[in-house]
Amino acid sequence: MKYSLISDTYEKIEATSKRLEMTDHLVDLFNKTPNELIDKVIYLTQGKLYPDYKGVELGFAEKLTLKAINIGSGRSSNEIQRIYKETGDLGKTAERILSKKTQLSLLKESLTVEKVYHTFDKIANSTGAGAIETKVRLLVSLFNNATPSEAKYIARMAVGKLRLGIADMTILDALTIAYVGEKDTKKDLERGYDITSDLGYLARTVAFEGIEGVNNIKVTVGRPIRPMLAERLSDPKEILDKLGGEGSVEYKYDGLRIQAHMDTNEVSLFSRRLENITDQFPDIVDSLKNSIKVKAIVEGECVAVNPNTGETLPFQMISQRRGRKYEIKRVVEEIPVMLFLFDLLFFNKNDCTLSPYLKRRKKLKEIVKENERIKISWQHITKKPDEIDKFMDKAISDGCEGLMIKSVDSDSIYKAGARGWAWIKYKRGYKAEMADTVDLVVVGAFYGRGKRAGQYGAFLLAAYDDEEDIFKTVCKCGTGFTDDDLKELLEKLNQYIISHKHPRVDSKLDPDVWLNPSLVLEVMGDEITLSPIHTACTSVIRAESGLAIRFPRFTGNYRTDKSAEDATSTKEILEMYRKQLKKISK
Ligand code: ATP
């Protein structure tokens, strides 16, 4: 299969501002892809080689990619640097440079998908002495045979910044149309994806075995399950009403979510974003081995603790254990942690995701032997709203963020990959006016003036509308950023710059720079107000008005553990606004 089929599709996708057209282009590409290559085409389109949980990174430094362009094109590195400075994009740099390369072009053999994939795979796998030279040589071999457009995407792939902004849901839509045809089978594909977290594997299954094969996919130890997520409410009575009068109250620990896969003597840990974080938590791995003796998948929240008092510590502490590659032994000693288990998704040979919550919890208690580091989350079943408020005070004094209140109904299954009302989070903040932070996606940036000239001065931030699968603006935020933050953001956001508003962004404002919705920032504000200029929840409260955050400020917390789709939803913003109103009118 010619790689140009892929690069032509990417060109079309980049040129469109309509989501449906994006899907059509993907369907077209999948229809032209032989079954045995569909997984590779999917991974390449996601800018990867394997599903995230395998932890395989291409990790080509920009400098090395520039060097490969230099060798592959024979153009001077000064010229390449100049174009790179001008475009700020390695892809465009490669494209421009290679479009000037005319000699020998007739001798080129055209690139195939197989060749591109296998070359990148070799690049990812070369380690040890001489690895850098090997990687560069391999990348040069691709540039040598690439058209300018192909070179653009090869360069971006190398540095891990494909910048197409294609959501998983769009790929699922396209797979359904291309391989099954019937729209109502999309939920089967979604389930297949939710329990494997691997779109390539799913695509291969549907391509070779059809929808029947997809329905036969099983939960497997070693393959992470996409996490179930909670809705948010701020009144105990409302929460219990929503849950049918009774709920199971658990502490909402403030740490890092961990999904642990326990095989015979082997433990793998996955983060909320399903990255493999096993090596970062050797203490948890050992403690889990002592605690659970069967094959199982369990979930819990990992928090830092004060070993002297047993108190749980603020999120900032555990976040220092996240993403570490070096000095792990030292931080394991300096920042001890505990894992509070709250769910069981698999044990022995049984998929528990379709069992009701109370049954899962009962089994969890049976198979877990608590030890110094492994505990079961605190829980109490209640029908009384005022009891919930008492639990809240207790949770807060025990260092938690609030409560999780879960449905005890017989149909309260573990809905992988979904945010639903079977779990409701209740955080203390809602009692005051916007005392809770929100996590917002950066969709645009405004150039700074005066002291901030040459940098960004403010950012256009959006909440996620999960019904429409788009991002709607809620504020322009320029406060709370230190000089270092601004410097860092200038660099960090470079990779996300696009020439027009992203098709999944709804905005009335026109920032100086549009960005691919990716980076999530934690923001605090004074209150939520009606606003004619922001698009979240437009016309829900008042015709033509959206909701906006007044006096927003960055808290300093980059939510790198969240993808754009994990940002605070427009529904949550609406809920916070309504609560505020109730309080004012009381
Ligand atoms: P937040 O930023 O508020 O933690 P989130 O988007 O990461 O939200 P939600 O599903 O909205 O996730 O809230 C549930 C989160 O709370 C889980 O992802 C988990 O990390 C954490 N958590 C802490 N204690 C519990 C518990 N007992 N049960 C379920 N989740 C818990």
Side-chain angles (χ1 to χ4, degrees):
M1 180 182 175
K2 283 191 176 165
Y3 182 68
S4 59
L5 279 172
I6 289 194
S7 59
D8 288 351
T9 306
Y10 294 171
E11 293 284 4
K12 288 185 204 152
I13 286 176
E14 270 199 283
T16 184
S17 56
K18 297 201 183 82
R19 175 148 183 218
L20 283 179
E21 277 181 19
M22 230 175 179
T23 314
D24 288 346
H25 295 315
L26 281 177
V27 172
D28 218 32
L29 174 65
F30 297 166
N31 282 334
K32 289 178 187 148
T33 304
N35 286 356
E36 57 276 7
L37 281 182
I38 186 65
D39 50 350
K40 299 193 168 53
V41 167
I42 298 265
Y43 296 135
L44 288 172
T45 303
Q46 292 182 296
K48 14 180 141 151
L49 296 171
Y50 296 95
D52 284 341
Y53 70 84
K54 296 256 161 123
V56 178
E57 275 174 34
L58 265 172
F60 235 97
E62 291 186 0
K63 232 169 91 186
L64 286 183
T65 312
L66 287 168
K67 188 170 167 195
I69 298 173
N70 167 238
I71 301 171
S73 65
R75 319 292 301 192
S76 76
S77 49
N78 278 349
E79 186 185 0
I80 296 171
Q81 279 292 353
R82 183 180 51 77
I83 297 181
Y84 182 37
K85 250 199 180 135
E86 221 175 281
T87 59
D89 172 5
L90 273 172
K92 283 194 187 137
T93 309
E95 182 181 36
R96 270 224 232 156
I97 287 287
L98 285 175
S99 64
K100 295 186 181 168
K101 188 183 151 194
T102 46
Q103 70 275 46
L104 295 179
S105 56
L106 287 176
L107 297 177
K108 276 197 306 204
E109 44 173 295
S110 46
L111 279 180
T112 61
V113 173
E114 294 89 324
K115 167 94 180 161
V116 172
Y117 184 90
H118 290 303
T119 308
F120 274 128
D121 202 25
K122 275 194 217 156
I123 290 175
N125 283 309
S126 32
T127 49
I132 290 187
E133 286 73 19
T134 310
K135 284 174 193 259
V136 172
R137 186 175 46 74
L138 287 164
L139 190 56
V140 169
S141 77
L142 290 180
F143 283 138
N144 273 340
N145 292 309
T147 64
S149 162
E150 289 171 336
K152 173 164 77 177
Y153 297 110
I154 286 169
R156 286 185 185 166
M157 173 88 188
V159 288
K161 294 165 189 167
L162 202 54
R163 321 207 302 181
L164 294 174
I166 303 174
D168 294 350
M169 281 302 143
T170 312
I171 295 184
L172 278 174
D173 278 338
L175 282 174
T176 312
I177 299 168
Y179 291 101
V180 199
E182 298 145 50
K183 264 209 142 168
D184 59 352
T185 52
K186 189 184 159 198
K187 61 177 182 355
D188 298 338
L189 269 88
E190 261 179 53
R191 163 94 186 148
Y193 175 44
D194 289 337
I195 61 171
T196 58
S197 313
D198 185 346
L199 280 175
Y201 173 79
L202 178 77
R204 214 178 154 83
T205 308
V206 73
F208 279 105
E209 298 168 43
I211 200 71
E212 237 179 79
V214 171
N215 287 328
N216 280 332
I217 293 176
K218 302 267 182 296
V219 168
T220 312
V221 174
R223 235 191 241 147
I225 297 170
R226 299 184 66 231
M228 173 166 175
L229 299 169
E231 288 287 354
R232 177 201 302 238
L233 279 179
S234 44
D235 176 67
K237 178 159 180 335
E238 215 175 321
I239 293 172
L240 288 179
D241 285 350
K242 194 86 193 170
L243 295 174
E246 189 175 33
S248 166
V249 183
E250 290 186 27
Y251 271 7
K252 186 177 194 304
Y253 299 91
D254 195 9
L256 299 176
R257 186 171 184 157
I258 287 188
Q259 193 177 99
H261 288 235
M262 322 265 316
D263 213 334
T264 338
N265 239 338
E266 195 185 324
V267 179
S268 311
L269 306 181
F270 299 102
S271 69
R272 187 187 183 287
R273 293 191 73 170
L274 309 180
E275 300 123 332
N276 192 320
I277 50 167
T278 315
D279 294 343
Q280 295 164 34
F281 293 92
D283 41 353
I284 290 296
V285 169
D286 287 344
S287 307
L288 275 170
K289 280 186 190 163
N290 286 328
S291 161
I292 300 176
K293 300 290 181 191
V294 291
K295 198 166 166 170
I297 304 177
V298 291
E299 238 181 6
E301 188 84 353
C302 191
V303 282
V305 288
N306 179 335
N308 300 312
T309 61
E311 272 180 320
T312 55
L313 299 174
F315 177 76
Q316 285 69 15
M317 291 302 289
I318 181 99
S319 70
Q320 295 176 49
R321 296 260 326 242
R322 187 171 61 194
R324 252 179 202 278
K325 291 202 175 136
Y326 309 103
E327 293 194 288
I328 289 172
K329 201 163 171 275
R330 178 178 63 80
V331 287
V332 162
E333 277 163 24
E334 277 175 17
I335 309 171
V337 294
M338 264 187 197
L339 180 62
F340 290 90
L341 295 173
F342 55 73
D343 221 317
L344 173 71
L345 313 187
F346 184 93
F347 85 97
N348 281 339
K349 290 182 179 152
N350 308 299
D351 171 0
C352 307
T353 59
L354 301 174
S355 303
Y357 160 78
L358 284 180
K359 215 168 150 191
R360 298 199 307 275
R361 191 154 170 117
K362 183 165 174 272
K363 197 76 212 168
L364 178 72
K365 281 194 193 149
E366 275 169 37
I367 67 162
V368 172
K369 193 165 161 270
E370 289 190 311
N371 60 31
E372 201 195 353
R373 304 229 171 276
I374 308 296
K375 306 279 179 206
I376 302 225
S377 66
W378 181 93
Q379 181 222 23
H380 187 97
I381 296 175
T382 188
K383 293 182 177 166
K384 300 183 199 145
D386 48 351
E387 205 172 24
I388 294 186
D389 271 331
K390 268 194 254 150
F391 293 148
M392 172 65 105
D393 292 345
K394 188 165 141 42
I396 300 299
S397 65
D398 282 348
C400 295
E401 217 189 339
L403 300 171
M404 292 291 294
I405 304 158
K406 302 185 178 178
S407 163
V408 293
D409 276 1
S410 55
D411 63 355
S412 62
I413 60 167
Y414 185 95
K415 283 213 184 86
R419 196 176 281 284
W421 289 105
W423 288 8
I424 300 175
K425 56 180 164 182
Y426 177 38
K427 292 204 230 170
R428 174 178 56 150
Y430 317 128
K431 291 196 164 174
E433 286 169 2
M434 189 139 180
D436 187 25
T437 57
V438 284
D439 300 321
L440 302 173
V441 187
V442 189
V443 297
F446 301 85
Y447 294 131
R449 301 209 186 104
K451 213 179 128 224
R452 289 190 183 172
Q455 290 178 318
Y456 294 127
F459 304 89
L460 185 58
L461 305 181
Y464 179 52
D465 184 326
D466 56 351
E467 257 159 38
E468 292 181 46
D469 190 27
I470 56 175
F471 302 93
K472 298 188 168 176
T473 68
V474 285
C475 64
K476 181 176 166 182
C477 177
T479 309
F481 300 95
T482 62
D483 290 349
D484 284 345
D485 283 325
L486 291 173
K487 218 157 126 208
E488 197 182 330
L489 279 164
L490 192 65
E491 271 170 33
K492 223 182 206 156
L493 291 173
N494 223 356
Q495 56 181 299
Y496 302 126
I497 295 176
I498 44 178
S499 58
H500 49 75
K501 185 171 71 60
H502 193 276
R504 291 172 68 220
V505 169
D506 183 9
S507 169
K508 289 187 192 168
L509 291 179
D510 200 11
D512 296 313
V513 174
W514 285 110
L515 299 162
N516 210 322
S518 293
L519 184 69
V520 179
L521 301 181
E522 190 185 72
V523 168
M524 184 66 193
D526 277 8
E527 61 178 307
I528 298 172
T529 55
L530 286 166
S531 154
I533 57 166
H534 287 287
T535 55
C537 310
T538 300
S539 298
V540 176
I541 303 283
R542 189 191 297 160
E544 311 296 321
S545 278
L547 290 180
I549 293 170
R550 190 160 175 252
F551 298 135
R553 49 199 178 271
F554 176 48
T555 63
N557 199 359
Y558 294 87
R559 292 301 305 255
T560 47
D561 58 327
K562 288 196 167 182
S563 70
E565 286 78 10
D566 294 322
T568 299
S569 69
T570 50
K571 266 194 240 148
E572 289 174 292
I573 301 272
L574 180 63
E575 181 55 30
M576 290 165 90
Y577 176 75
R578 288 202 164 124
K579 279 302 112 178
Q580 217 179 246
L581 278 193
K582 268 192 191 164
K583 195 169 156 64
I584 293 166
S585 60
K586 252 186 208 167

Coordinates of all heavy atoms in Angstrom, one line a residue, residues 390-416:
K390 N -22.2 14.9 56.8 CA -21.3 14.6 57.9 C -20.1 13.8 57.3 O -19.0 14.0 57.7 CB -22.1 13.7 58.9 CG -22.7 14.5 60.0 CD -23.1 13.6 61.2 CE -24.7 13.5 61.2 NZ -25.2 12.3 61.7
F391 N -20.4 12.9 56.4 CA -19.3 12.1 55.8 C -18.3 13.1 55.1 O -17.1 12.8 55.0 CB -19.8 11.1 54.8 CG -20.6 10.0 55.4 CD1 -21.6 9.4 54.7 CD2 -20.3 9.5 56.7 CE1 -22.4 8.3 55.3 CE2 -21.0 8.5 57.3 CZ -22.1 7.9 56.6
M392 N -18.9 14.1 54.5 CA -18.1 15.1 53.8 C -17.1 15.7 54.7 O -15.9 15.8 54.4 CB -19.0 16.1 53.1 CG -18.2 17.2 52.5 SD -17.2 16.7 51.1 CE -18.1 17.3 49.8
D393 N -17.6 16.2 55.8 CA -16.7 16.8 56.8 C -15.6 15.8 57.2 O -14.4 16.2 57.3 CB -17.5 17.3 58.1 CG -18.4 18.4 57.7 OD1 -18.2 19.0 56.6 OD2 -19.3 18.6 58.5
K394 N -16.0 14.6 57.4 CA -15.0 13.6 57.8 C -14.0 13.4 56.7 O -12.8 13.3 56.9 CB -15.8 12.3 58.1 CG -15.0 11.2 58.7 CD -15.9 10.1 59.3 CE -15.5 8.7 59.1 NZ -14.1 8.3 59.3
A395 N -14.5 13.3 55.5 CA -13.6 13.0 54.4 C -12.5 14.2 54.2 O -11.4 13.9 54.1 CB -14.4 12.9 53.1
I396 N -13.1 15.4 54.4 CA -12.2 16.6 54.3 C -11.1 16.5 55.4 O -9.9 16.7 55.2 CB -13.0 17.9 54.3 CG1 -14.0 17.9 53.2 CG2 -12.0 19.1 54.3 CD1 -13.4 17.9 51.8
S397 N -11.6 16.2 56.6 CA -10.6 16.2 57.7 C -9.6 15.0 57.6 O -8.5 15.1 58.1 CB -11.3 16.2 59.1 OG -12.0 15.0 59.2
D398 N -10.0 14.0 56.8 CA -9.1 12.9 56.5 C -8.2 13.2 55.3 O -7.6 12.3 54.8 CB -9.8 11.6 56.4 CG -10.2 11.0 57.7 OD1 -9.7 11.5 58.7 OD2 -11.1 10.1 57.7
G399 N -8.2 14.4 54.8 CA -7.4 14.8 53.7 C -7.9 14.4 52.3 O -7.1 14.4 51.3
C400 N -9.2 14.1 52.2 CA -9.7 13.8 50.9 C -10.3 15.0 50.2 O -10.5 16.0 50.8 CB -10.8 12.7 51.0 SG -10.1 11.2 51.6
E401 N -10.6 14.8 48.9 CA -11.1 15.9 48.1 C -12.6 16.1 48.3 O -13.2 17.1 47.9 CB -10.9 15.5 46.7 CG -10.5 16.6 45.7 CD -10.5 16.0 44.3 OE1 -10.4 14.8 44.1 OE2 -10.6 16.9 43.4
G402 N -13.3 15.0 48.7 CA -14.8 15.0 48.8 C -15.3 13.6 48.8 O -14.6 12.7 49.4
L403 N -16.4 13.4 48.2 CA -17.0 12.0 48.2 C -17.3 11.6 46.8 O -17.6 12.4 45.9 CB -18.3 12.0 49.1 CG -18.2 12.5 50.5 CD1 -19.6 12.6 51.1 CD2 -17.4 11.4 51.3
M404 N -17.4 10.2 46.6 CA -17.9 9.6 45.4 C -19.1 8.9 45.9 O -19.0 8.1 46.8 CB -16.9 8.6 44.8 CG -15.7 9.2 44.3 SD -15.9 10.2 42.8 CE -16.5 8.9 41.7
I405 N -20.3 9.2 45.3 CA -21.5 8.5 45.7 C -22.0 7.6 44.5 O -22.1 8.1 43.4 CB -22.5 9.5 46.2 CG1 -21.8 10.3 47.3 CG2 -23.8 8.8 46.7 CD1 -22.4 11.6 47.6
K406 N -22.1 6.3 44.8 CA -22.3 5.4 43.7 C -23.6 4.6 43.8 O -24.1 4.4 44.9 CB -21.1 4.3 43.7 CG -19.7 5.0 43.6 CD -18.6 4.0 43.5 CE -17.3 4.8 43.4 NZ -16.1 3.9 43.3
S407 N -24.1 4.3 42.6 CA -25.4 3.6 42.6 C -25.3 2.2 43.1 O -24.4 1.5 42.8 CB -25.9 3.6 41.1 OG -26.9 2.6 41.0
V408 N -26.3 1.8 43.9 CA -26.3 0.5 44.5 C -27.3 -0.4 43.7 O -27.7 -1.5 44.1 CB -26.6 0.5 46.0 CG1 -25.4 1.1 46.7 CG2 -27.9 1.2 46.3
D409 N -27.8 0.1 42.6 CA -28.8 -0.6 41.8 C -28.2 -1.9 41.2 O -27.0 -1.9 41.0 CB -29.3 0.3 40.6 CG -30.4 1.2 41.0 OD1 -30.8 1.2 42.2 OD2 -30.9 2.0 40.2
S410 N -29.1 -2.8 40.8 CA -28.6 -4.0 40.3 C -28.1 -3.8 38.8 O -27.3 -4.6 38.3 CB -29.7 -5.0 40.2 OG -30.8 -4.5 39.5
D411 N -28.4 -2.6 38.2 CA -27.8 -2.4 36.9 C -26.6 -1.5 36.9 O -26.2 -1.0 35.9 CB -28.9 -1.9 35.9 CG -29.4 -0.5 36.4 OD1 -29.0 0.0 37.5 OD2 -30.2 0.1 35.7
S412 N -26.0 -1.3 38.1 CA -24.9 -0.4 38.1 C -23.6 -1.1 37.7 O -22.7 -1.4 38.6 CB -24.7 0.2 39.5 OG -24.5 -0.8 40.5
I413 N -23.5 -1.4 36.5 CA -22.3 -2.1 35.9 C -21.1 -1.1 35.8 O -21.3 0.1 36.0 CB -22.6 -2.7 34.6 CG1 -23.0 -1.6 33.6 CG2 -23.6 -3.8 34.6 CD1 -22.9 -2.0 32.1
Y414 N -19.9 -1.6 35.6 CA -18.8 -0.7 35.3 C -18.8 -0.3 33.9 O -18.5 -1.1 33.0 CB -17.5 -1.5 35.6 CG -16.2 -0.6 35.5 CD1 -15.7 0.0 36.7 CD2 -15.6 -0.4 34.3 CE1 -14.6 0.8 36.6 CE2 -14.5 0.4 34.2 CZ -14.0 1.0 35.4 OH -12.8 1.8 35.3
K415 N -19.2 0.9 33.6 CA -19.4 1.4 32.2 C -18.0 1.9 31.8 O -17.7 3.1 31.9 CB -20.4 2.5 32.1 CG -21.8 2.0 32.2 CD -22.7 2.9 31.3 CE -24.2 2.4 31.4 NZ -24.9 3.0 32.5
A416 N -17.2 1.0 31.2 CA -15.9 1.4 30.7 C -15.9 2.6 29.8 O -16.8 2.6 28.9 CB -15.2 0.2 30.1

